Amino acid sequence: MALLAELAEQVREGELGRQHWHHEKLFRRLADVAAALGEAYPGGMERLQRNAGRRSR
């Protein structure tokens, strides 16, 4: 989890955010991670989104 938080910070504040030539590759990898998470979560991505939305309130 700490690595994802650090990555978000680098995109927002660091060099990675300014290096637009990496953004497409980064987006593809993040989409792969989201797909894998949906496959691993019981009930899939739709259930995960519902549960995450409920917890953030």
Side-chain angles (χ1 to χ4, degrees), residues 6-36:
E6 183 178 329
L7 178 60
E9 181 67 20
Q10 288 179 20
V11 171
R12 282 189 197 101
E13 306 288 334
E15 194 64 27
L16 188 54
R18 292 183 290 277
Q19 294 175 345
H20 59 85
W21 52 92
H22 291 300
H23 293 175
E24 186 177 332
K25 184 187 282 187
L26 179 59
F27 180 83
R28 285 194 311 264
R29 297 300 176 257
L30 289 171
D32 288 345
V33 170

